[in-house]
Amino acid sequence: MKISNETIRRALHTAFGLGFMIASGAALCADDSEPPLVPEEKPKVSASGIAGVKETLHEWGLTGSLRAAYWSSNRRSDDEKHIPNVSAWLKLDRKIIKNWGVFVEGYLNREDPFDTQHNTSRFREAYVEGRAGDWDFRFGKQIIAWGRADRFNPTDNLTPRDFTLLAPDTDEDRFGSVAAKVSWNWNASTSVTAVWLPMFRPHVFSFPDQPGISVDRDTPDSARQWALKLDQSGKAIDWSVSYFDGYDLTPDISFGGVTGAGSIVAKIRNNRTRVIGADAATTLGAYRLATEIAYTRTEDNGGSNPEIKNSHWYGVFGVERPFEDNLTINAQLFVRRISQYSNPEEITDPAIRPFAIQNAILNNQYDKQQFGMTLRVAKKWFNETLDGELAGSVLLNRSGYLVRPKLVYAYTDSIKLIGGVEYFGGSGKTGYGRQEKNRGVFAEMRYFF
């Protein structure tokens, strides 16, 4: 007997509904006190009342979500397991006067409700923006994401990510930098953008505690950084060229000496870089083609200092194809080529060699050339209430891979359920292999208001 999609959809609704009833009952019975024989009557909030509150918040430009999640592992390369996570995400998007508005987004996150060690609060963005004639302005903390490739973007160098944040969505680990951005719209399809960043914030990585090693972080608080971009969108070929002069979001690791107590110092420093890049995208029948390339010149352009990453090329080429029944497939090839390469294993100084190896692995410079590919398959079911994605990345010249399936189910307009797996593997000489401790599953429930 063939089971229809509508029957499966109703079964999913019933199963999730029972799950919520059981979870709610368990929460109510968790109190140590004796439950009353006859429940007390409590005033009920009508659906229209809740809807009215939400409508009022939306009129003011306020939206957000409350989240409860479970992660079987964290993202800090340690041995901590079975982590509950609760958070509140808030967003304000409101016009102030004609052509001018304010946008603020942030979150409060508690990685373990019963522990105070890993609490996080952050304004991801907080800026004012407006338009005057052909000019667009944005001032404040903002996320500036450049590039047309799918998630692997060589020209995306302006704003950082928090790689330790437990968030199922790929781009939710982004957070903004304080910047002034001005764009001149040359015509309907072409614009010139200038960015000034007076402060620097790097990527957030985990550096696990190791006996006998202390970490010395050298991060510039203020920095003169700027970028330019010429962009064309809306024509047969979309393209851009860009230039960035600022600090590298990914740090370098170096030997910092020995403390008086005998501990070895690992120095974590973000060095200055200059990046010139370009991207392009077009459609060819049902196919979308995209490419992106960048050349990064570092402070060790001659390749003589093993404690600073070398200058390098990084390119991506991808093809995306939509099919019937809400199916999309995206495949990409990527390559990194290191200038003035030298093998970190061949360094003779025993104090510098281990740090040079770690530095090369962190910055994808352990080999002279690195080849890899990505694959993302996305599918929607049940009137687009259930989204599925299988994403993965693999290195072709050295064992290293990530597989990440994920399901997102819209239980109601206000409740969304998310579940997935992050599976890392490979050689210890790759970033993927180093993240094997972070293999795990996750599940999250979100309530939107």
Side-chain angles (χ1 to χ4, degrees):
M1 180 180 66
K2 186 177 180 180
I3 301 175
S4 67
N5 283 347
E6 179 62 22
T7 301
I8 298 173
R9 187 185 67 81
R10 290 179 179 176
L12 280 169
H13 271 279
T14 303
F16 281 123
L18 288 172
F20 286 134
M21 291 172 63
I22 293 169
S24 299
L28 290 172
C29 294
D31 196 329
D32 292 336
S33 61
E34 194 71 25
L37 295 177
V38 180
E40 295 180 5
E41 290 291 331
K42 295 183 179 180
K44 297 181 179 179
V45 180
S46 66
S48 60
I50 295 175
V53 171
K54 292 173 67 173
E55 183 177 349
T56 301
L57 291 175
H58 293 174
E59 288 177 356
W60 280 90
L62 285 167
T63 57
S65 64
L66 302 176
R67 310 179 182 186
Y70 164 81
W71 291 73
S72 65
S73 175
N74 62 25
R75 290 174 170 172
R76 286 188 296 275
S77 301
D78 59 24
D79 296 319
E80 189 174 352
K81 304 293 183 184
H82 308 300
I83 304 155
N85 191 68
V86 293
S87 58
W89 292 62
L90 303 174
K91 182 189 298 183
L92 171 66
D93 187 0
R94 184 172 175 80
K95 281 281 177 73
I96 304 174
I97 57 176
K98 182 180 178 181
N99 295 332
W100 285 86
V102 61
F103 181 89
V104 180
E105 183 182 21
Y107 59 81
L108 301 171
N109 183 77
R110 187 153 186 162
E111 192 168 300
D112 185 339
F114 309 105
D115 186 12
T116 59
Q117 186 177 0
H118 299 301
N119 295 338
T120 307
S121 62
R122 173 177 282 133
F123 281 108
R124 298 183 72 226
E125 296 189 274
Y127 59 78
V128 294
E129 63 178 346
R131 167 168 289 188
D134 296 331
W135 295 85
D136 293 328
F137 304 91
R138 182 180 291 180
F139 306 104
K141 190 172 186 179
Q142 52 190 291
I143 295 172
I144 304 172
W146 285 357
R148 286 185 165 89
D150 185 49
R151 302 181 182 179
F152 280 44
N153 302 109
T155 62
D156 186 19
N157 298 293
L158 275 68
T159 50
R161 294 176 181 265
D162 182 351
F163 292 106
T164 67
L165 180 68
L166 298 182
D169 293 345
T170 304
D171 284 332
E172 285 188 334
D173 59 3
R174 289 183 179 272
F175 61 97
S177 294
V178 174
K181 186 173 77 167
V182 180
S183 297
W184 173 48
N185 300 299
W186 187 355
N187 53 44
S189 60
T190 308
S191 64
V192 179
T193 298
V195 181
W196 172 256
L197 300 103
M199 301 177 65
F200 174 72
R201 293 294 178 267
H203 288 320
V204 178
F205 290 95
S206 66
F207 294 98
D209 294 334
Q210 298 183 43
I213 296 179
S214 60
V215 175
D216 177 20
R217 299 176 187 270
D218 182 10
T219 303
D221 291 327
S222 60
R224 296 185 300 276
Q225 303 180 102
W226 59 277
L228 288 173
K229 182 180 182 183
L230 173 63
D231 184 274
Q232 176 180 282
S233 301
K235 290 194 172 183
I237 299 178
D238 296 337
W239 57 267
S240 76
V241 292
S242 60
Y243 180 77
F244 169 68
D245 185 344
Y247 283 88
D248 195 341
L249 296 170
T250 303
D252 292 313
I253 306 173
S254 62
F255 174 62
V258 180
T259 66
S263 294
I264 297 173
V265 178
K267 191 170 185 178
I268 310 298
R269 181 181 179 184
N270 296 83
N271 292 295
R272 200 166 185 92
T273 62
R274 295 173 177 84
V275 184
I276 184 168
D279 60 46
T282 189
T283 55
L284 188 62
Y287 295 88
R288 178 184 182 270
L289 310 177
T291 187
E292 189 171 340
I293 189 169
Y295 175 71
T296 300
R297 182 187 175 98
T298 72
E299 290 189 357
D300 185 31
N301 190 54
S304 60
N305 188 344
E307 297 179 333
I308 300 176
K309 67 176 68 64
N310 289 12
S311 300
H312 55 277
W313 290 91
Y314 177 21
V316 180
F317 174 76
V319 180
E320 184 171 287
R321 171 74 154 86
F323 296 88
E324 294 181 355
D325 298 326
N326 294 313
L327 173 66
T328 302
I329 298 178
N330 181 288
Q332 296 183 139
L333 294 174
F334 63 86
V335 60
R336 291 182 175 90
R337 182 177 176 83
I338 313 306
S339 303
Q340 307 298 325
Y341 171 81
S342 60
N343 190 340
E345 299 280 3
E346 296 177 355
I347 295 174
T348 57
D349 190 327
I352 295 177
R353 183 172 57 250
F355 290 95
I357 292 172
Q358 300 304 317
N359 196 37
I361 294 171
L362 176 64
N363 289 287
N364 296 293
Q365 296 197 348
Y366 187 80
D367 298 299
K368 181 177 178 61
Q369 295 186 117
Q370 182 188 72
F371 297 94
M373 65 178 297
T374 72
L375 179 67
R376 181 172 58 85
V377 181
K379 180 79 168 73
K380 298 178 185 290
W381 298 273
F382 311 130
N383 296 320
E384 301 187 9
T385 59
L386 179 64
D387 293 356
E389 179 182 275
L390 175 62
S393 173
V394 61
L395 302 179
L396 300 178
N397 60 325
R398 187 174 292 275
S399 172
Y401 61 90
L402 163 65
V403 180
R404 195 175 192 270
K406 185 177 74 169
L407 284 173
V408 181
Y409 180 59
Y411 181 70
T412 67
D413 290 340
S414 300
I415 297 175
K416 186 176 287 187
L417 306 174
I418 304 172
V421 178
E422 290 182 337
Y423 195 89
F424 300 90
S427 164
K429 305 301 185 182
T430 68
Y432 292 135
R434 291 297 179 91
Q435 291 178 274
E436 285 190 356
K437 282 190 175 183
N438 293 142
R439 291 174 179 172
V441 300
F442 59 86
E444 183 175 87
M445 182 177 70
R446 297 182 182 180
Y447 172 74
F448 294 89
F449 58 86

